[in-house]
């Protein structure tokens, strides 16, 4: 699975310095993914992340949970794709 997390680096403002997302696959923790890019600019920057997993059946539930503190008002998630392994 591929996905992108967007972050706006703003230590003195409402955006914070990092954007984090917890990923769960079928209720199991697949990790916390953090984007800290963007220092020196106020433009949202994107970072690509990948998670490899094997589906346990015909249906798989994938959850993306905002892991930023409530005072951080910006966290982007985009371009989520799941691709079958050709093997």
């Amino acid at each position: 699975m591929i996905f992108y997390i967007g972050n706006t680096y703003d230590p003195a403002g409402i955006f914070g310095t990092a954007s984090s997302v917890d990923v769960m696959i079928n209720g199991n923790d697949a990790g916390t993914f953090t984007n800290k890019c963007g220092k020196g600019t106020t433009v949202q920057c994107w970072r690509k992340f990948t998670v490899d997993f094997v589906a346990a059946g015909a249906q798989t539930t994938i959850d993306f949970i905002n892991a930023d503190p409530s005072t951080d008002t910006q966290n982007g998630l985009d371009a989520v794709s799941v691709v079958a392994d050709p093997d």
Side-chain angles (χ1 to χ4, degrees):
M1 171 175 60
I2 299 169
F3 59 95
Y4 291 78
I5 296 174
N7 182 56
T8 303
Y9 189 93
D10 184 23
I14 61 172
F15 298 137
T17 59
S19 293
S20 296
V21 174
D22 292 331
V23 177
M24 306 286 285
I25 299 174
N26 286 332
N28 297 308
D29 183 13
T32 298
F33 300 85
T34 301
N35 177 357
K36 295 180 180 180
C37 75
K39 188 173 184 178
T41 180
T42 57
V43 176
Q44 186 177 45
C45 67
W46 294 90
R47 182 172 168 207
K48 179 181 177 179
F49 294 90
T50 61
V51 175
D52 293 329
F53 68 94
V54 176
Q59 293 184 336
T60 299
T61 301
I62 301 170
D63 296 302
F64 295 92
I65 303 161
N66 183 355
D68 285 357
S70 61
T71 56
D72 184 336
T73 63
Q74 194 279 337
N75 192 341
L77 177 68
D78 198 10
V80 176
S81 63
V82 178
V83 180
D85 187 350
D87 293 333

